Amino acid sequence: MATKKEEIIEAIANMTVLEVSELIKAMEEKFGVTAAAAVAAGPAAAAGPAEEVEEQTEFTVTLKSADPTKKIAAIKVVRTIVSGLGLKEAKDLVEQGGILKEGASKEEVADIKAKLAEVGGVLEVK
């Protein structure tokens, strides 16, 4: 059985890209599957062992917009999120958008999202 696999692999290695593409389409039709995930993972797997990707632990939370009908509630929420923020600064932040918190943890981001979702806030997290 191993020699058949090796022969098939060798035959595929000698094919042109167009021929391989046609072979994949024929196999998808024959077996009723898609090879999209396998094709996407193929080049990455061929490059060698994957390096570990560090999970992001700090995020920047930016207020993009808030529901105009709930502006006062949004201002109150923004003032609780951003400590030391005056009423005018909070109002400007709600009306124009801007950074609410830098270096926020996942838990803080989830908390901020929940609070601002109640008042119609739209956030961007980077």
Side-chain angles (χ1 to χ4, degrees):
M1 186 74 167
T3 56
K4 285 186 180 182
K5 288 181 187 176
E6 291 171 6
E7 290 171 6
I8 293 170
I9 292 171
E10 188 61 34
I12 292 172
N14 292 328
M15 292 179 163
T16 65
V17 174
L18 181 59
E19 291 172 329
V20 172
S21 175
E22 291 171 351
L23 174 65
I24 291 171
K25 286 179 186 176
M27 291 175 69
E28 287 176 338
E29 290 173 11
K30 169 85 175 171
F31 300 109
V33 296
T34 65
V39 172
E51 293 183 24
E52 266 189 49
V53 178
E54 260 189 57
E55 187 177 337
Q56 187 175 354
T57 57
E58 292 186 349
F59 303 89
T60 300
V61 181
T62 306
L63 178 64
K64 289 297 186 184
S65 64
D67 185 350
T69 62
K70 299 179 181 179
K71 189 188 324 186
I72 294 173
I75 291 169
K76 289 178 182 179
V77 170
V78 166
R79 288 188 73 195
T80 63
I81 294 169
V82 185
S83 59
L85 198 60
L87 185 58
K88 175 151 177 33
E89 291 85 7
K91 179 180 176 275
D92 291 342
L93 194 59
V94 168
E95 290 175 345
Q96 300 167 4
I99 295 174
L100 291 175
K101 186 148 187 146
E102 291 179 322
S105 68
K106 281 186 178 183
E107 293 80 22
E108 288 175 309
V109 170
D111 184 47
I112 292 170
K113 277 186 179 181
K115 287 178 180 178
L116 283 169
E118 292 176 10
V119 293
V122 177
L123 298 178
E124 177 181 72
V125 179
K126 292 183 183 179

